[in-house]
Amino acid sequence: MDRKSVLVAFKNFKGDRSVLKEATRIARSNNAVVYLLNIVERSSFLGVYNPDAEEELLKRAESEIEKAKDYLKSEGVEALGLVKFGERSEIICDVAKKIKPVRIVIGNRGLRGIKRLLFGGVPERVVKTSPCPVYVVE
């Protein structure tokens, strides 16, 4: 039997602490492993490709993953880290389709006001296209 999993999409350890706490609670109640997903947007999305900047962003993402893994380990929860490049909502749903988590846990700290109305936020797009339940943490 495959072990259950929880997918957690986050940006940084300090700012997404509430997301990690909720993921810990859900993982414990499901005896699940946590997949920590940190997504880096490519510099080419801005119209300019900068490999040095991307390398720095990759190092930061990996550092944030390690901090989160240490936190979860201290809470008695097994965690694995993933760093991906791309559009956040697409990557989250693609990873979820592959690992089949019992739940996706994501924060709600992105677009505000009129921009959210016009474009929709990442959590909204994930909820609409996710293959599993999504828990959005404010």
Side-chain angles (χ1 to χ4, degrees):
M1 183 174 145
D2 290 331
R3 182 145 182 222
K4 292 180 183 177
S5 64
V6 174
L7 177 59
V8 181
F10 79 108
K11 288 183 182 180
N12 66 65
F13 177 72
K14 187 175 180 181
D16 289 321
R17 190 73 178 255
S18 59
V19 174
L20 295 168
K21 284 182 179 180
E22 202 53 44
T24 300
R25 183 189 65 76
I26 293 167
R28 282 184 181 147
S29 68
N30 287 280
N31 190 30
V33 63
V34 172
Y35 282 85
L36 297 162
L37 176 61
N38 198 312
I39 301 163
V40 178
E41 293 192 44
R42 288 212 176 274
S43 59
S44 61
F45 293 167
L46 303 173
V48 177
Y49 176 65
N50 184 335
D52 294 332
E54 284 188 9
E55 184 64 31
E56 181 60 33
L57 291 172
L58 178 64
K59 287 178 185 175
R60 285 185 196 167
E62 289 170 344
S63 173
E64 295 301 322
I65 291 278
E66 289 306 313
K67 290 175 195 174
K69 282 172 66 175
D70 290 344
Y71 166 75
L72 289 166
K73 184 177 179 181
S74 75
E75 295 292 318
V77 175
E78 181 184 352
L80 303 169
L82 302 167
V83 176
K84 300 281 186 180
F85 282 92
E87 196 280 319
R88 294 182 59 76
S89 60
E90 288 178 18
I91 297 294
I92 293 166
C93 290
D94 286 348
V95 170
K97 287 174 186 170
K98 290 176 185 163
I99 67 170
K100 298 174 178 45
V102 294
R103 182 138 331 133
I104 296 172
V105 182
I106 187 171
N108 189 19
R109 306 186 299 128
L111 299 175
R112 299 279 184 238
I114 194 74
K115 287 183 180 179
R116 177 171 273 164
L117 254 175
L118 292 173
F119 304 114
V122 171
E124 180 183 359
R125 291 191 304 271
V126 171
V127 166
K128 288 180 179 179
T129 58
S130 173
C132 66
V134 179
Y135 189 90
V136 181
V137 179
E138 287 292 330

